[in-house]
Amino acid sequence: MPGTGCTAPYLPGFRPTRFRSDGKMRSGQIGALGHDLACFLEALDLDQVSLVGHDWGARAGYVVGALFPQRVARLVAMSAGYATNRADVQLSWPLPHAYWYEWFVATERGRRAIYEDRRSFARYLWRSWSPEWEIQVAEFAQAADAWDNDDWPHITAHAYLHRWGEAQGDPSYDDIERRPLEPAPVRVPTLVLHGARDGDNLPETSANKSALFTAEYERIVLPDVGHFPPRAETPDQVADMIFSHQGGG
């Protein structure tokens, strides 16, 4: 809650994270992300937290809000809607166009590209996802440092392949993956923020989802904003919305 501090964990595969076992599957599946976040909260004995996540972080937050809500007071999810984990979910035609890179990594050439040329790959995506944002060189370089981890390309590729049913998941997360198929509703008060000009997770991906939330729910579409509202696009506005959602100032 406001005034108690902020903790920002890395997602798996981002510097400086590491796996304790070489044999552990480098999984990017949503169940793994949610499980890691739930374990993180438990390990630090964090209680009644306000979870704030962007894209993959939002997806992890949805899992915790649905399956492990006991430690969560509120959730703010940005640039990603809550959805089932079914790979056969119906898509509008603009979505496969926006998600071209997720199918690109189904090829050996695509996987090699994100391993060998991850910075230019990511820079192209950033520009296409938020075409109006003038990305500063130093800001991009700071983010890119987190990708200098040998696990990052493997986890990234697996996340996309698993999402569309092209790769098996880690069996240790089978129960977590199975429950959102129902789908399991998010059981904590939730605020969803989505840029109207998001070129990646199009705004339609978070629309008409109120039935998947059993507590207070609000969705705000930010005009003239792309995929990165918490960064250079509308950071002050987003910060104000987060504190307002928490009941703070």
Side-chain angles (χ1 to χ4, degrees):
M1 300 302 289
T4 61
C6 176
T7 302
Y10 283 89
L11 287 162
F14 291 75
R15 291 183 66 184
T17 65
R18 62 183 178 84
F19 286 81
R20 291 185 295 177
S21 170
D22 290 339
K24 178 65 174 176
M25 184 176 182
R26 271 43 175 176
S27 173
Q29 65 196 93
I30 293 173
L33 304 182
H35 177 268
D36 284 355
L37 179 55
C39 289
F40 177 83
L41 296 176
E42 182 178 0
L44 296 184
D45 196 23
L46 296 175
D47 190 43
Q48 290 299 293
V49 301
S50 292
L51 285 181
V52 181
H54 174 263
D55 201 326
W56 281 28
R59 299 176 196 276
Y62 288 136
V63 172
V64 173
L67 306 184
F68 309 98
Q70 58 273 16
R71 292 185 179 271
V72 180
R74 293 182 177 271
L75 168 65
V76 178
M78 292 177 277
S79 305
Y82 183 45
T84 73
N85 287 351
R86 292 182 56 181
D88 61 349
V89 65
Q90 186 175 1
L91 302 177
S92 69
W93 287 114
L95 277 175
H97 179 80
Y99 289 149
W100 68 269
Y101 63 96
E102 299 193 7
W103 280 285
F104 182 49
V105 300
T107 69
E108 178 59 36
R109 180 172 183 172
R111 290 190 293 275
R112 188 168 64 250
I114 65 170
Y115 191 87
E116 297 176 353
D117 201 14
R118 62 195 74 176
R119 278 172 167 74
S120 64
F121 176 77
R123 178 173 282 276
Y124 178 80
L125 292 178
W126 279 30
R127 286 173 172 165
S128 63
W129 294 347
S130 291
E132 303 301 320
W133 179 24
E134 292 294 331
I135 305 168
Q136 300 301 311
V137 172
E139 185 172 13
F140 181 82
Q142 183 182 29
D145 284 344
W147 309 326
D148 288 336
N149 182 321
D150 286 343
D151 292 322
W152 182 84
H154 301 292
I155 290 174
T156 299
H158 181 264
Y160 301 143
L161 293 175
H162 183 269
R163 188 175 301 173
W164 303 115
E166 299 297 329
Q168 295 296 315
D170 185 329
S172 60
Y173 305 118
D174 280 352
D175 183 56
I176 294 178
E177 289 289 337
R178 186 164 46 246
R179 291 171 66 187
L181 290 175
E182 301 168 6
V186 174
R187 294 182 281 169
V188 300
T190 301
L191 171 65
V192 174
L193 302 177
H194 211 142
R197 302 192 65 185
D198 190 333
D200 177 32
N201 295 319
L202 305 184
E204 67 181 79
T205 62
S206 65
N208 304 315
K209 297 294 182 70
S210 59
L212 299 178
F213 298 82
T214 60
E216 174 190 348
Y217 172 77
E218 183 179 9
R219 173 179 178 262
I220 298 176
V221 177
L222 304 171
D224 301 319
V225 173
H227 186 63
F228 297 101
R231 296 186 69 88
E233 293 189 290
T234 50
D236 294 338
Q237 180 184 6
V238 166
D240 288 343
M241 290 179 176
I242 291 171
F243 280 114
S244 295
H245 183 63
Q246 293 179 17

